[in-house]
Amino acid sequence: MPLRSNVCKKGIILNPSCPLCYCDAESSSHLFLHCDFIKRMFFSPPLGVRISDVEEVMDWLLPIFRSKEVKLCQVVCMGLWKVWKARNSVVFDKGAPCPMLVAKDVWLSSIELDSNLLVSTDRVMPSKVEATCGNSWIIQTDAGCFDGGIVSLGCVIRAANSEVLLAATQRITSFVAPGTAEALGIRWDLQLAKEPELDKVVLQSDALAVVDCINGVSLVLDLDPIVMDCRSFRSSLFSSTVMFIGRDADTDALSLVGIGKLVDSRTWLGVIPRNEEFPVVLTNLTFF
C-alpha cells in the first residue's frame, strides 16, 4: 500500500508522519492498529470494537476471521476500508474526517450488506416501465423499529391510475433511531425504482425531517451518508420527487411494515397483502 513509510523507502522525500494523527510514522501497523483515529472510530457507538494490543495487523485480524463471527468480520473489514478512505480524503482532498461519523458510516454500510432486495418473488419485473400518459409512478414508504433491534421497511409502487406495480417488505437487524430507519427505507425504495427503470417517480414519506434532509432543506449529520446515497439514486432516475405526506395517506406502506416484521423480506407483484393474511398480533412498534 502507498503508505508514507513505504513511499519513503522508495527514495521519495516527504513527511512520513501519519496524516490522521501526526503522532508516528504512517505504516500499516500504525494506521490500522495504533493510530488514535482508528481506535476511536472502532470504539465509537454503535460499533464498540476494541483493537487488540498486538504489533502486527494480521495478528489482530486472523483470530477474528477464525472465530467465524460473521458480523464482527464484516464490521472490521468495512472499518479498515473506511479508515483508508478517510486517510485518502485527508491526503488528497484536505478532508477532516470525524471518527464517530466514520463509525456510523461503517455500521450503515454493514446494514446495507445484510439487506436483500426483492428476496421472494414469483415473477420478474419488466426491465423498463414507462409511466402512462406521462404521469408519474407513486412510491409510498414507511419504516418501523421493533424490540430486539428489528427494523422493518414497507414499500408500495403504484401507477397514476392507482394500479399496483409491486408491494415489498424488507427486514433488517440493527439498533438504529427511527429517523435512520425511515432514511434507510427511502434509500431502499429508490433502489427498487432503479430495477425496472421507472421513468418518473414521486416518492412519498411521512417522515418530514428525512424528506427535508434529502431535499436540502435541513441537515442531520447522523443521516448524511444515507441522504447522499438517496440523492445519488435520484440523479440516476429520469425524473424524481421526494415529498412529505400525512400518516393517514400512507396506510398501505404502514401495513407492510407490520407484515415485514413477520415474513422477513418479500415482494408481491400487482397486489398488496393484507394484515388478515398474517394473523399474528404486532406489538411494540415505534414509528418516526
Side-chain angles (χ1 to χ4, degrees), residues 23-171:
C23 293
D24 205 344
E26 186 193 46
S27 63
S28 59
S29 60
H30 172 79
L31 182 63
F32 298 120
L33 279 180
H34 307 305
C35 180
D36 286 342
F37 185 95
I38 194 169
K39 289 182 177 180
R40 291 173 58 195
M41 186 278 292
F42 269 124
F43 194 64
S44 294
L47 302 183
V49 176
R50 288 185 179 274
I51 298 178
S52 300
D53 187 18
V54 294
E55 293 300 322
E56 299 296 331
V57 178
M58 292 309 297
D59 291 338
W60 175 48
L61 295 181
L62 286 178
I64 293 175
F65 296 154
R66 289 168 180 160
S67 71
K68 298 183 180 180
E69 293 184 31
V70 177
K71 190 65 179 179
L72 178 60
C73 293
Q74 183 174 295
V75 166
V76 167
C77 290
M78 185 67 70
L80 296 178
W81 169 241
K82 294 293 185 180
V83 166
W84 178 245
K85 290 186 67 177
R87 176 265 188 198
N88 287 340
S89 74
V90 174
V91 173
F92 300 111
D93 299 321
K94 298 182 180 180
C98 169
M100 294 184 67
L101 292 181
V102 174
K104 291 179 180 178
D105 188 20
V106 170
W107 186 251
L108 293 174
S109 297
S110 69
I111 292 173
E112 185 174 2
L113 287 178
D114 287 337
S115 303
N116 295 310
L117 296 177
L118 303 176
V119 172
S120 176
T121 179
D122 296 326
R123 291 178 288 170
V124 179
M125 288 188 295
S127 59
K128 182 174 177 61
V129 184
E130 295 184 357
T132 306
C133 300
N135 292 318
S136 298
W137 294 95
I138 307 299
I139 302 180
Q140 292 187 331
T141 179
D142 211 333
C145 299
F146 297 81
D147 288 346
I150 295 176
V151 175
S152 178
L153 312 177
C155 170
V156 179
I157 302 180
R158 288 188 177 89
N161 62 3
S162 297
E163 181 180 350
V164 176
L165 174 64
L166 69 83
T169 62
Q170 186 180 55
R171 190 176 72 185

